[in-house]
Amino acid sequence: MTTRKWSFRAGASSALWTFVLMWGGITGAHGATESAAVSLRVVHAETRAPVAGAEIKIHSAGSATPIQTGTTASDGGFTIRLPSLPAGTILVTVAKSGFTPLQITWDRAAVPAEYTIALAPSKTVGGLVRDESGKPISGAAVTLRFPQRLGGPRVPVEDFPIRTDSQGRWRAEFVPATAD
């Protein structure tokens, strides 16, 4: 069993987040990995209280079809059950209204037995997109960019597309509360 601990700050004024991973992947014949279960726990980044009702989506990299979906229980827990799959990458996305969503990536051969992910509170930002003459632009794609970590959980902005409405307005409810 291998154990690693990472600590990071999402922004200059944010709380220190710590993740501890323990894993021992089992690889079968022909590069296929045996089925695995991960005990996932979702907590509030600041208070460490359990986050109930967080949406969980698990995908193999490159596949739009989820392997598993569900929501966390009252204790913030959720069991991820991964079937026997060829070697590759697993993406786990955790999202809940009022929090910034996070995505963690695991190599299929090194999936941890337990994992805690801390969701930070989010804020809502929005705006208006207009053309050169000042008229609202309907259906414009808006892309948000903010600092991402080099490793560990990241904010999957591509999973939450933003488009302007018929009056050119847009809104994003998942921006980290610490973002300037």
Side-chain angles (χ1 to χ4, degrees):
M1 173 84 57
T2 301
T3 302
R4 293 222 175 128
K5 182 176 181 178
W6 290 272
S7 297
F8 61 90
R9 291 188 188 274
S13 62
S14 68
L16 181 67
W17 296 357
T18 302
F19 294 90
V20 177
L21 296 178
M22 296 178 291
W23 68 86
I26 302 169
T27 302
H30 310 295
T33 304
E34 295 178 13
S35 61
V38 179
S39 178
L40 180 70
R41 185 160 186 267
V42 180
V43 298
H44 189 290
E46 295 170 1
T47 67
R48 305 305 285 177
V51 176
E55 296 177 19
I56 312 293
K57 291 183 184 176
I58 299 98
H59 289 85
S60 288
S63 172
T65 305
I67 296 169
Q68 183 182 1
T69 61
T71 57
T72 56
S74 61
D75 65 352
F78 182 81
T79 300
I80 299 171
R81 300 197 188 288
L82 298 172
S84 197
L85 295 170
T89 303
I90 300 295
L91 307 172
V92 178
T93 304
V94 181
K96 179 166 173 127
S97 181
F99 293 90
T100 300
L102 288 177
Q103 184 177 76
I104 186 71
T105 303
W106 292 319
D107 181 282
R108 184 65 181 92
V111 174
E114 297 177 348
Y115 193 80
T116 298
I117 193 160
L119 294 182
S122 65
K123 66 181 176 183
T124 300
V125 299
L128 179 64
V129 178
R130 298 180 186 188
D131 65 16
E132 298 82 22
S133 66
K135 294 180 184 171
I137 299 176
S138 176
V142 176
T143 302
L144 297 181
R145 295 185 189 263
F146 37 87
Q148 296 279 7
R149 295 179 212 66
L150 295 176
R154 59 178 283 285
V155 180
V157 294
E158 65 280 359
D159 290 349
F160 300 90
I162 305 166
R163 292 239 175 237
T164 58
D165 65 14
S166 61
Q167 298 172 350
R169 293 180 303 217
W170 64 272
R171 179 181 168 109
E173 299 176 349
F174 59 86
V175 176
T178 57
D180 295 329

